[in-house]
Structures are given as C-alpha cells and as structure tokens.
C-alpha cells in the first residue's frame, strides 16, 4: 500500500524523524487559512500516488497568500498521470540553496536478501537521471536484517555520499528511517529531498512510503490511510472483477494473459518488439468468455492503450472461450482497438474457426506470441502511442 506524502511523513514523525511542518487541505480557502497561520512562504503539494509530481506541475512554491491560493486552485482537480488531485499538503517552505537536496532511501532488495540503504548528495527531482547516468553517485549499503542499521554504518554511508552538515544528526535520521522501514514492513521508504539547513540539521521535505500489502494485517492502525478515491479507477474496477491488474506508466500496449508467468513474459516480449506495456492483467486459469469480455472491456478503457496483446496458453482455459469473449466485445462496440492474440492449446482450432467467421481486421490470431506482440507493437506505435 502506497502512502501519501502527508501520511508517510506522519509515520516518519512517529519515529522521531525531523519532518517539515505541513497541513492537508482540500479547498483553496483552507490553503489560504494555512498560509495565514504560517505567515510565511509555503509549498502547495498535490497528494497523489505518483512519482515526479514536481515535474508534472503538482508542487508549487508560493511566496504570497495570493500565490498560494492561485496554486491551490490550479493543483486541486488537476490530473496527474490519470489520477485526480483531491488533496494538497501545504508545507512551511524552506530556502534551498543549490546542491543541498540529498536523497536517502531503504528498499527491499532481493539480491542481498535484505534492505539496501541508498544515499546520494545529488537528490531532488533528477534522482532517476542520476541513477541512470552516474550510478556511482548513489552509495548502497546492505542493512543487516538482525541488527538493523547501526549509527556508525549510517555515518559511513553519509560520508561516502559526500553529505555536508551535522553527520551525527543526518545519520540519526537515516537510522530512524530504517527503523520505520523494518517495523512497518515497508518495501520502500525514501526521503527526497532531505534538506540540510545552515546549522547542519537535516529536515525531511518529501517522502515516499510503501507498505507491503501482505503485511497490512500487522498494521491495522494505518489501514485507514487507504483511500479508494486515490487509487487508479481501473485498478478499482479490476479488483471488483477479481483480476490481478497493475497499471504501468508510459505504456501503449494493453496486455492480458492467463497466469502471472505468461503475463510477465508478455510484458517482456512487448518491450522486445519495441513498444511498452500499459498494464499487467492476469485473467487467471479457466476463464470463460464473460471473464475475457470484462478483461477486454477494462483494458480498452485505458486511454494509453492503442492496441491489445492477448497471450493465452490453453490448458483449462479454452481458446474458443477466449475468442468468444473478444468477439462479443467487438460486437458490443466495446472493442475499438486492434487485438493481436496468440492462443494456443485446448480448442485452438475452434477459436480459429470463430475468428475466421468473424473476419475482422480488429481481431487477429498469430501462431506465436512473438508475432502477435510484434503486430500489437506496430499497431500501437503507428497509432502514436507514447
Ligand atoms: P516530487 O517531485 O513528487 O518528488 O515532490 P517533492 O516534494 O520532492 O518536491 C519537488 C521539488 O520541489 C523538490 O525537489 C524541491 O526542489 C522543491 N521543493 C519542495 N519543498 C520545497 C521547499 O520547502 N522549498 C523550496 N525552495 N523548494 C522545495
Ligand atoms: Mn521528492
């Protein structure tokens, strides 16, 4: 479960992390009242579950009351990567000098079978670019799951990362962050930017905090943080159908298959074919035509999707049921994007016969998943998908 910035900050505060002051608002009037109370410049920040809010225009420095209200009006109701902003966090702005935005994070790392602590003196909005172009500027350290992060290790990492300021205080913040990660079963905790003031004291300006869904039963006290309204509408619909569905950023090919493994492979072959998957959708085993129909309906609703790649290996799932579901979606006018399918196995010939009879350019079957994925990629890229 992803927490909003303000929720993640609440958790970090419980662990003693020095967090920038801020209050949540849902209307420009509330933002105005908070500005009056603080009586100093503020930052108005969209509370949505996406990264890169700043780059998308969802984080605005507001030097006056009028600016704060204007920014609130613009940000509230704004669409960021398909999510509507219903809440903003209004923070007491600090003066950031160039080069004083640090990054620290804890991530569950399969390769080391524990958490990896990461730190970089080049934090801020470009951290992904830093990771891609100059990975040596990100210091990584495996945290022992038995002892947790010890202060001397945190100090060592802070020194290696080139942090300036009160290193004891900065290391202490890292230790507290890592304690929060362990105790809250986080899959990811980041503080970015971590700001260091003129006295050398660190302050958390932003956080990403994600708790392992499988551990939520141990964290009932934060279960109320989950807001259906803040989740992707398609993910909510998918959970109603009982599908395992994940919306992926910047994709153009809708992907569905029967089983987690085959869907993972399908994402890979779409990438290999030169397009990008827009979602993961597992319809499960033994799906009948109505389930396939709902899956196609769901994926078609995504405006990012320009073509659909269906990859089914028929065992208990019958290929003809899959074909029937897709054909019905076409007949009902739900299907407006090309569907490229590989359906092999049980009742494959029956499926072929049904599709031949329908004879529509929108639905085509291919002998291998590579060919189907390539056609889907061509269609999506030709349609001007991202
Ligand atoms: P993100 O883009 O979703 O990671 O949102 P952040 O909360 O990290 O804010 C984006 C950027 O806004 C930061 O990297 C800072 O450069 C800037 N920012 C955030 N808070 C403040 C603040 O209090 N003062 C100043 N000067 N800049 C801020
Ligand atoms: Mn940030």
């Amino acid at each position: 479960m992803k927490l909003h910035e303000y929720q993640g900050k609440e958790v970090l505060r419980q662990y003693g992390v020095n967090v920038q002051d801020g209050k949540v608002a849902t209307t420009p009037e509330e933002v105005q009242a908070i500005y009056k109370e603080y009586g100093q410049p503020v930052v108005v920040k969209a509370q949505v579950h996406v990264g890169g809010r700043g780059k998308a225009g969802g984080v605005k420095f507001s030097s006056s009351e009028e600016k704060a209200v204007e920014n609130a009006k613009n940000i509230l109701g704004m669409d960021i990567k398909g999510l509507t902003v219903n809440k903003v966090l209004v923070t007491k702005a600090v003066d950031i000098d160039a080069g004083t935005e640090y990054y620290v994070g804890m991530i569950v790392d399969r390769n080391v079978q524990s958490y990896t602590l990461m730190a970089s003196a080049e934090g801020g909005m470009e951290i992904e670019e830093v990771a891609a172009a100059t990975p040596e500027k990100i210091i990584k350290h495996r945290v022992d799951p038995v002892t947790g992060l010890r202060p001397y290790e945190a100090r060592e990492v802070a020194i290696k990362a080139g942090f300036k300021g009160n290193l004891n205080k900065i290391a202490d913040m890292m230790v507290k962050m890592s304690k929060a990660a362990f105790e809250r079963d986080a899959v990811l905790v980041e503080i970015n930017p971590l700001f260091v003031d003129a006295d050398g004291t660190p302050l958390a300006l932003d956080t990403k905090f994600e708790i392992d869904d499988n551990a939520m039963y141990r964290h009932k006290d934060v279960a109320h943080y989950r807001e259906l309204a803040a989740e992707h509408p398609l993910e909510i619909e998918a959970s109603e159908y009982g599908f395992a569905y994940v919306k992926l950023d910047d994709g153009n090919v809708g992907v569905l298959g029967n089983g987690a493994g085959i869907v993972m492979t399908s994402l890979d072959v779409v990438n290999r074919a030169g397009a990008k998957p827009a979602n993961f959708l597992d319809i499960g085993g033994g799906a009948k035509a109505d389930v396939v129909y709902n899956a196609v309906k769901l994926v078609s609703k995504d405006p990012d999707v320009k073509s659909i790649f269906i990859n089914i290996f028929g065992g208990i799932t019958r290929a003809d049921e899959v074909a029937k579901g897709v054909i019905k979606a076409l007949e009902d006018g739900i299907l407006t994007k090309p569907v490229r399918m590989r359906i092999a196995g049980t009742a494959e010939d029956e499926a072929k016969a049904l599709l031949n009879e329908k004879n529509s350019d929108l639905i085509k079957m291919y002998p291998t998943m590579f060919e189907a994925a390539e056609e889907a990629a061509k269609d999506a890229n030709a349609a001007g998908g991202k």
Side-chain angles (χ1 to χ4, degrees):
M1 182 175 89
K2 285 184 183 171
L3 305 193
H4 282 304
E5 174 191 3
Y6 77 90
Q7 298 167 335
K9 283 176 163 176
E10 264 171 35
V11 174
L12 289 178
R13 264 192 207 102
Q14 289 164 6
Y15 284 84
V17 171
N18 190 29
V19 174
Q20 181 183 35
D21 285 335
K23 287 191 172 178
V24 174
T26 54
T27 63
E29 292 71 35
E30 285 170 12
V31 172
Q32 187 170 24
I34 297 168
Y35 187 97
K36 281 200 165 83
E37 182 191 331
Y38 286 164
Q40 65 142 84
V42 297
V43 184
V44 180
K45 315 178 78 177
Q47 298 299 291
V48 278
H49 292 308
V50 292
R53 295 166 305 159
K55 282 188 180 169
V59 176
K60 291 283 183 205
F61 191 92
S62 314
S63 48
S64 67
E65 187 178 322
E66 294 69 38
K67 272 272 163 218
V69 172
E70 185 190 324
N71 287 330
K73 281 182 182 159
N74 288 334
I75 294 173
L76 284 163
M78 181 187 239
D79 181 281
I80 302 184
K81 297 182 188 170
L83 292 173
T84 307
V85 181
N86 301 314
K87 273 185 195 169
V88 290
L89 177 65
V90 183
T91 59
K92 260 188 198 172
V94 295
D95 265 332
I96 302 184
D97 297 330
T100 54
E101 292 191 46
Y102 296 162
Y103 168 93
V104 293
M106 286 276 285
I107 187 162
V108 170
D109 185 344
R110 280 160 207 269
N111 295 320
V112 301
Q113 301 184 348
S114 185
Y115 280 102
T116 288
L117 169 72
M118 295 179 293
S120 176
E122 298 198 12
M125 295 196 283
E126 306 298 334
I127 190 68
E128 273 84 18
E129 283 73 15
V130 173
T134 49
E136 70 278 4
K137 288 185 178 163
I138 298 179
I139 305 305
K140 293 187 175 170
H141 175 78
R142 176 183 188 270
V143 180
D144 188 303
V146 177
T147 60
L149 180 67
R150 287 163 289 194
Y152 79 88
E153 295 174 286
R155 275 195 298 276
E156 235 169 64
V157 169
I159 291 166
K160 277 193 196 150
F163 288 176
K164 305 275 181 290
N166 186 323
L167 293 183
N168 284 331
K169 283 190 182 169
I170 297 173
D172 182 56
M173 184 185 270
M174 289 156 80
V175 169
K176 285 169 173 160
M177 172 186 73
S178 70
K179 191 159 188 274
F182 274 106
E183 290 187 6
R184 288 300 182 167
D185 293 304
V187 288
L188 169 84
V189 182
E190 287 181 347
I191 298 176
N192 182 36
L194 182 164
F195 165 74
V196 179
D197 72 11
D199 296 333
T201 303
L203 181 68
L205 297 195
D206 182 25
T207 184
K208 265 195 199 157
F209 206 115
E210 189 173 345
I211 300 176
D212 187 338
D213 284 327
N214 298 311
M216 277 310 293
Y217 73 97
R218 296 207 284 218
H219 304 287
K220 296 217 166 74
D221 57 322
V222 292
H224 67 279
Y225 279 163
R226 182 166 183 212
E227 289 166 18
L228 278 182
E231 289 180 20
H232 205 285
L234 293 179
E235 288 185 351
I236 299 169
E237 189 176 332
S239 69
E240 283 161 8
Y241 293 136
F243 293 148
Y245 172 89
V246 182
K247 171 76 187 128
L248 302 171
D249 285 344
D250 302 323
N252 55 4
V253 177
V255 177
L256 61 104
N258 61 330
I262 201 169
V263 181
M264 295 294 279
T265 305
S266 305
L267 302 183
D268 286 346
V269 295
V270 166
N271 270 308
R272 206 175 87 151
K276 292 207 114 192
N279 68 271
F280 171 105
L281 172 52
D282 175 8
I283 60 169
K288 292 274 189 266
D290 58 328
V291 172
V292 176
Y293 178 88
N294 287 337
V296 170
K297 185 166 104 185
L298 180 81
V299 172
S300 299
K301 278 188 192 167
D302 182 348
D304 294 342
V305 167
K306 308 296 181 210
S307 71
I308 301 171
F309 170 39
I310 299 182
N311 192 3
I312 303 285
F313 189 82
I316 47 169
T317 310
R318 289 180 59 96
D320 56 346
E321 287 291 323
V322 176
K324 277 182 203 161
V326 180
I327 290 169
K328 178 143 197 317
L330 178 73
E331 288 170 350
D332 289 358
I334 284 167
L335 195 80
T336 50
K337 298 157 189 180
V339 172
R340 306 303 176 217
M341 325 194 261
R342 172 260 192 160
I343 353 180
T346 313
E348 185 181 329
D349 293 337
E350 288 88 330
K352 259 185 214 150
L354 287 168
L355 291 173
N356 282 340
E357 192 185 316
K358 195 72 209 164
N359 191 26
S360 163
D361 280 348
L362 274 186
I363 318 177
K364 288 224 165 98
M365 213 168 132
Y366 298 83
T368 70
M369 67 172 174
F370 299 108
E371 287 159 273
E374 262 158 37
E375 284 309 308
K378 250 189 239 162
D379 290 328
N381 292 340
K386 288 185 225 167

